[in-house]
Amino acid sequence: MNVIPIELGERSYDIEIESDSLSRVGVSLASLGDASRVVLITDDNVEPLYGEVVSNSIVDRGLDLDVAVIPAGEESKSIEVAYELWNQLLNLKVDRRSIVVALGGGVVGDLSGFVAATYARGIRYFQVPTTLLAQVDSSVGGKTAIDLPQGKNMVGAFHQPCGVLIDPIVLQSLSVEQYRAGLGEVVKYAASLDADFFEMLENNVDSVVKRDPDILARIVARCCQIKANVVSQDERETSGLRALLNYGHTFGHALETVVGYGKLLHGYAVALGSVLAAKLAFRLASRGDERFKEIDQAWIVRQNNLISALGLPTTLQELPSIVGFEPNIAPENLVALTSTDKKAVAGKLNFVLPVGLGKSELVRDVAVEDVLAVFN
Amino acid sequence: MNVIPIELGERSYDIEIESDSLSRVGVSLASLGDASRVVLITDDNVEPLYGEVVSNSIVDRGLDLDVAVIPAGEESKSIEVAYELWNQLLNLKVDRRSIVVALGGGVVGDLSGFVAATYARGIRYFQVPTTLLAQVDSSVGGKTAIDLPQGKNMVGAFHQPCGVLIDPIVLQSLSVEQYRAGLGEVVKYAASLDADFFEMLENNVDSVVKRDPDILARIVARCCQIKANVVSQDERETSGLRALLNYGHTFGHALETVVGYGKLLHGYAVALGSVLAAKLAFRLASRGDERFKEIDQAWIVRQNNLISALGLPTTLQELPSIVGFEPNIAPENLVALTSTDKKAVAGKLNFVLPVGLGKSELVRDVAVEDVLAVFN
C-alpha cells in the first residue's frame, strides 16, 4: 500500500492508495477509533457498482451503518440535497462520534464533506473517491462545497477528511468522458507545478489512454503527493501557494457556469481553462511582461498537444459538439463570469498563469481587455 | 473602553465594551485592515433603531456598504434565509476581503456568522450585538448556526468573528422579555462557573432589574471575560471545558423544540433548563452520588430565588402562560428531544450539572429514568 500523509497538525490524515482496496474501507474506519456509527453517502451510479463491497466491509467491522443515495450529477451539489442529508443525519441521531463516508466522485465528496462540515458544527468524514478527478484532486485537501445557481462552489467550508482510501482499479469502470475529465486535472498538476510529471505524461500517452493499471497508480500517487505538499503548506489558500492548484479553474468555472452545471464536466472545463490561461500568459508576454517570457508559441502547442492527445478540447469551438447545444460564449459574457470567481478580490480579475513548464503564478489585477482578447 | 482579548492564535480578536460606541463601528472595521466592502446584516426590529448610526460610521470611514435586513425572530435562523443571504452576497460580488457585520441579537449573529463561515468557504464577520443575550454569550466564541425543523443549531460552523463591539447602552431599548431572556444566560455563567458573580447578582437584584448602566456594564464584561477564558482554552468544545457553557441548555433546547422555535425565548429556556439540571443533580445526590453532594435543597432554592427575582420561570407549569398555549411537556416527549442535542453521543444522555456554587461538570450517560423523574 502506498501511504501519503497530509501533515496538518491535529488535522493530519493519510491517503491510502492500493488496488482492490474497497473491501478494506471498514478496516480503515475502525482504525480511526471512537466511531459509533457510519453513514455512507453515495450516488445512484456508484451504489450498484461498489455499494455492497464497501457496506459489507463496514458492517464486518461491527460498525452501525446507514446508507444515503443521492442522484448522480452536479445538480446534487445543491442546498436542497444538503438539506435532505442534514435532516437524514438528524433523524438517524448522528452525533459527533459518527463518521460520514463519501463513496463516489467529486459531487458526492464535495457535498458529503460540506454536510459533515456543518452538521452539528462539524463531524468526521472519510473519502472513498471513485472517479479519476476525485482521486487526484477533490477528495484531498478539505475543500467542501455546494453550488449556488450563479456560482459554483460558492457555499462551502474548509474541513479536512479524517482519511482517504483510493482504489485505482475502480477507474476501469469509468465512462470515457468521466475518465478524460479526470485527466484534465492531471494535466493541470503537470503543466502548472511539475515539469517532470508533464514529460512522463507526454511519454506515456498511449498507456494513459488505455488505462494501464500501473500508469494509473503512478499518476494518482503523483497528483496526491503534489497536492499533499501544497495543502500542508497552505491549507486555507492564504499564502498564494494553494491558489496555484486553481490553474485553469477561473476560466473553467466561467465556462461551466455559462454552459450550465453538469452539462460540461469539470475536467473538460479545466482543460479548456488551461489552454485559455496559456493564451493569456502568451499575450502578456508578447507585450513585454518579463514574468511570462518562457510562454511562447511552442509552450502553448506543447500543452495543447498533450491535452488533445488525452481526448480533451483545446478550443471554445469544440464546446457545442461536447455539450450538444450552442452556449453563449460571447467574450463579454465570459469575462463577467470570471469576476465572480472566489479568487476575485474587489472585482479585480485574478488568474493563475503559467510562467514555464511546471511553473505558475497567481497574477492579480489582469486588464479586462486582455481577458476579452483571449476569448476572441 | 474595556477591551477583552480572545486569545486564539491567528484567530485572536478583541471584544470592545463601551457605552455609546455604535458610532465607532466604522473605526473598528477600518482598523482591521484590508477591507474592501462591508455588508451589514440586521433585522427589521434593530434597523430602525441603530441602522443609521452604524451605517454612517462605516461610510464615514470610506468603506463600501450594503445593508441586508431580515425578519426579526428565530424563524430567520433557517436555511431559506441563509440561502437568500448567500445569493445576495454573490450578487454584490462580495469577496474574501469583504466583511459581514452582524448588527442585532443572537439570531442575526448566529445566522450572519454561518453565512460568513460558508460563503466562499469563509469570509470575515464582525459582531455588534444589541441584546443582552448576544452581548454576554452568542456574539463571542465563534459558534454559528441555523436551525433544522427538528433541531436547533443543528447546522453550523465554528468560525470566529474578527471583532466584537458591545454598546451596553442599547440594552435600555430592549423589551422586558428580551432583557429577561439575556439574564437567563447571565445566571447560567454565575451558577455554573463563578460563585463570586452569583453573589454579586444576588446582592444587586434591584439594580439589575432596573437596568442600572454601571451594573449592566459590569455584568456584560464579567460574562465576556468568563467566556473568553473558556473559549481560549477549548475553542471547539473538545476538552469538555467549553461544554460547561451549555449549563441549562440540553433541557433548554428540548423545551424550545417542543414549544416551537421563537415561541419561547432562548434565555427563558436556559433558565428553566438550569432549574431542571439542578433537580437532576439533586436526585443523583440523594442516591448517593458523591459528585453532587453540595447540591442540596438549599442550593436549589438559592438558584430558584435568583432566577425568580430576575423575572424568569422556575417551573414547567409556568410555560403555558409565557407562550400562550399548552405545549406537549409530557416527560417522554421531552426526554426524546434531549437525546438529539449536539452533546449527545451515541444516543446517551449527557448533561452539564452543578456540583457546587459556580462549579459544574459534564456528566455522561445519565439514565433515562432519572431524566424522566426530573420532568415529572
Side-chain angles (χ1 to χ4, degrees):
Chain A
M1 181 181 292
N2 193 348
V3 177
I4 298 172
I6 310 270
E7 307 282 4
L8 288 167
E10 61 186 14
R11 294 184 300 287
S12 296
Y13 56 98
D14 287 334
I15 309 169
E16 302 171 307
I17 305 173
E18 188 174 36
S19 285
D20 279 321
S21 57
L22 285 189
S23 58
R24 290 179 16 86
V25 170
V27 174
S28 293
L29 292 174
S31 74
L32 296 169
D34 201 31
S36 57
R37 170 182 285 278
V38 173
V39 179
L40 177 68
I41 300 177
T42 186
D43 70 31
D44 53 16
N45 277 347
V46 174
E47 197 275 331
L49 294 172
Y50 308 119
E52 190 173 344
V53 60
V54 172
S55 293
N56 287 346
S57 86
I58 294 169
V59 173
D60 285 350
R61 302 308 297 182
L63 297 165
D64 282 345
L65 174 70
D66 289 283
V67 181
V69 181
I70 64 167
E74 183 81 22
E75 294 80 0
S76 283
K77 265 178 73 172
S78 67
I79 192 66
E80 289 81 10
V81 177
Y83 185 76
E84 291 242 330
L85 290 171
W86 285 322
N87 279 306
Q88 280 189 52
L89 297 187
L90 184 59
N91 289 336
L92 292 169
K93 295 188 189 288
V94 163
D95 62 36
R96 288 180 179 164
R97 279 194 198 160
S98 306
I99 301 179
V100 167
V101 174
L103 173 68
V107 168
V108 168
D110 287 4
L111 169 71
S112 303
F114 178 66
V115 167
T118 49
Y119 178 81
R121 295 199 187 92
I123 62 173
R124 291 178 290 178
Y125 74 115
F126 186 93
Q127 294 267 23
V128 188
T130 59
T131 64
L132 180 58
L133 186 138
Q135 292 191 349
V136 299
D137 192 29
S138 63
S139 70
V140 176
K143 280 195 179 179
T144 73
I146 55 174
D147 300 330
L148 293 179
Q150 291 302 315
K152 188 173 154 74
N153 292 333
M154 279 310 298
V155 172
F158 287 97
H159 186 55
Q160 297 295 337
C162 56
V164 182
L165 187 145
I166 297 176
D167 181 351
I169 284 296
V170 305
L171 302 178
Q172 304 297 336
S173 69
L174 290 180
S175 71
V176 67
E177 289 76 19
Q178 287 283 356
Y179 181 65
R180 285 177 179 164
L183 293 174
E185 292 281 3
V186 171
V187 173
K188 171 201 82 173
Y189 282 108
S192 65
L193 288 164
D194 191 334
D196 290 345
F197 186 32
F198 194 95
E199 287 170 6
M200 186 273 251
L201 292 171
E202 287 180 318
N203 295 335
N204 292 279
V205 161
D206 288 348
S207 306
V208 174
V209 170
K210 285 184 203 147
R211 310 192 199 183
D212 174 86
D214 289 339
I215 276 282
L216 279 183
R218 281 170 62 195
I219 287 174
V220 169
R222 183 76 159 245
C223 293
C224 286
Q225 188 63 61
I226 296 172
K227 186 144 190 183
N229 293 346
V230 169
V231 168
S232 60
Q233 292 175 69
D234 182 21
E235 182 182 8
R236 287 179 164 249
E237 204 165 314
T238 46
S239 78
L241 177 62
R242 183 163 183 167
L244 300 185
L245 295 177
N246 290 317
Y247 178 62
H249 279 60
T250 301
F251 285 117
H253 283 170
L255 295 172
E256 286 178 275
T257 305
V258 81
V259 170
Y261 296 151
K263 293 181 180 137
L264 180 65
L265 289 174
H266 179 63
Y268 280 66
V270 169
L272 259 176
S274 301
V275 172
L276 294 167
K279 277 180 73 176
L280 180 53
F282 178 71
R283 181 179 165 89
L284 297 175
S286 65
R287 289 229 309 273
D289 191 323
E290 280 292 303
R291 290 177 293 182
F292 308 104
K293 62 178 186 289
E294 292 182 36
I295 307 305
D296 53 16
Q297 200 61 47
W299 197 102
I300 288 180
V301 168
R302 192 172 174 186
Q303 180 179 261
N304 282 2
N305 284 348
L306 179 58
I307 290 172
S308 283
L310 298 174
L312 289 160
T314 57
T315 65
L316 293 175
Q317 287 66 45
E318 294 167 70
L319 275 179
S321 70
I322 293 169
V323 299
F325 63 94
E326 295 278 348
N328 174 11
I329 54 172
E332 295 74 16
N333 190 33
L334 291 171
V335 167
L337 291 169
T338 58
S339 67
T340 57
D341 186 81
K342 282 191 298 306
K343 284 175 296 305
V345 170
K348 304 292 178 58
L349 297 168
N350 301 324
F351 292 90
V352 178
L353 298 183
V355 295
L357 191 65
K359 290 185 293 184
S360 52
E361 279 184 18
L362 179 59
V363 180
R364 299 187 189 281
D365 207 1
V366 176
V368 169
E369 61 178 13
D370 289 321
V371 182
L372 275 171
V374 162
F375 286 127
N376 273 310
Chain B
M1 180 181 295
N2 193 348
V3 177
I4 298 171
I6 309 271
E7 307 282 5
L8 288 168
E10 62 186 13
R11 294 183 301 287
S12 297
Y13 56 97
D14 288 334
I15 309 169
E16 303 171 308
I17 305 174
E18 189 174 36
S19 284
D20 280 322
S21 57
L22 285 190
S23 58
R24 290 178 17 83
V25 170
V27 174
S28 293
L29 292 175
S31 74
L32 296 170
D34 200 32
S36 58
R37 169 182 286 279
V38 173
V39 178
L40 177 67
I41 301 178
T42 186
D43 70 32
D44 53 16
N45 278 347
V46 173
E47 197 276 332
L49 295 171
Y50 308 119
E52 190 173 345
V53 60
V54 172
S55 293
N56 286 346
S57 86
I58 294 170
V59 173
D60 285 352
R61 303 307 301 182
L63 298 165
D64 284 344
L65 175 70
D66 289 283
V67 181
V69 181
I70 63 167
E74 182 81 23
E75 294 81 0
S76 284
K77 265 177 74 172
S78 67
I79 193 65
E80 290 80 10
V81 177
Y83 185 75
E84 291 240 332
L85 289 171
W86 284 322
N87 280 305
Q88 279 188 52
L89 297 186
L90 185 58
N91 289 335
L92 293 170
K93 294 188 189 289
V94 162
D95 62 36
R96 288 180 179 164
R97 279 195 197 160
S98 306
I99 301 180
V100 167
V101 174
L103 173 68
V107 169
V108 168
D110 286 4
L111 169 71
S112 304
F114 178 66
V115 167
T118 49
Y119 178 81
R121 296 199 187 92
I123 62 173
R124 291 178 291 179
Y125 74 115
F126 186 93
Q127 293 268 23
V128 188
T130 60
T131 64
L132 180 57
L133 186 138
Q135 291 191 350
V136 299
D137 192 28
S138 63
S139 71
V140 176
K143 278 194 180 179
T144 73
I146 56 175
D147 301 329
L148 293 179
Q150 291 302 316
K152 188 173 156 74
N153 293 332
M154 279 311 297
V155 173
F158 286 97
H159 185 55
Q160 297 295 337
C162 57
V164 183
L165 188 145
I166 297 177
D167 182 350
I169 284 296
V170 304
L171 301 180
Q172 304 298 334
S173 69
L174 289 180
S175 71
V176 66
E177 288 77 19
Q178 286 283 355
Y179 181 64
R180 285 176 180 165
L183 293 175
E185 291 281 2
V186 171
V187 173
K188 171 200 81 174
Y189 282 109
S192 65
L193 288 165
D194 191 335
D196 290 345
F197 186 33
F198 194 94
E199 288 171 4
M200 186 272 247
L201 292 171
E202 287 180 318
N203 296 333
N204 291 278
V205 161
D206 288 350
S207 306
V208 174
V209 170
K210 285 183 200 148
R211 308 192 199 185
D212 174 86
D214 289 341
I215 276 283
L216 280 183
R218 281 170 62 195
I219 286 174
V220 170
R222 183 76 159 244
C223 293
C224 286
Q225 188 63 63
I226 296 172
K227 185 144 190 184
N229 292 346
V230 169
V231 169
S232 60
Q233 291 175 69
D234 183 20
E235 181 181 10
R236 287 179 164 249
E237 203 166 315
T238 45
S239 79
L241 178 61
R242 183 163 183 167
L244 300 186
L245 295 177
N246 290 318
Y247 178 61
H249 279 61
T250 301
F251 285 118
H253 284 170
L255 295 172
E256 286 178 276
T257 304
V258 80
V259 170
Y261 295 152
K263 293 182 179 136
L264 179 66
L265 289 174
H266 179 64
Y268 280 65
V270 170
L272 259 176
S274 301
V275 171
L276 293 167
K279 277 180 75 176
L280 180 53
F282 178 71
R283 181 178 164 89
L284 297 176
S286 65
R287 289 230 308 272
D289 192 323
E290 280 292 303
R291 290 176 294 183
F292 307 106
K293 62 178 186 289
E294 292 182 36
I295 308 304
D296 52 16
Q297 200 61 46
W299 197 102
I300 288 181
V301 169
R302 192 173 174 185
Q303 179 178 262
N304 281 3
N305 284 348
L306 179 59
I307 289 173
S308 282
L310 298 174
L312 289 160
T314 57
T315 65
L316 292 175
Q317 286 66 44
E318 294 167 71
L319 275 179
S321 70
I322 292 170
V323 301
F325 63 94
E326 297 277 349
N328 175 11
I329 53 173
E332 294 73 17
N333 190 33
L334 291 171
V335 167
L337 291 169
T338 58
S339 67
T340 58
D341 187 82
K342 284 191 297 307
K343 283 176 296 304
V345 169
K348 303 293 176 58
L349 297 168
N350 301 323
F351 293 89
V352 178
L353 298 183
V355 295
L357 191 65
K359 289 185 292 184
S360 52
E361 278 185 18
L362 178 60
V363 181
R364 299 189 189 279
D365 207 2
V366 177
V368 168
E369 60 177 14
D370 289 320
V371 182
L372 275 171
V374 161
F375 286 127
N376 273 311

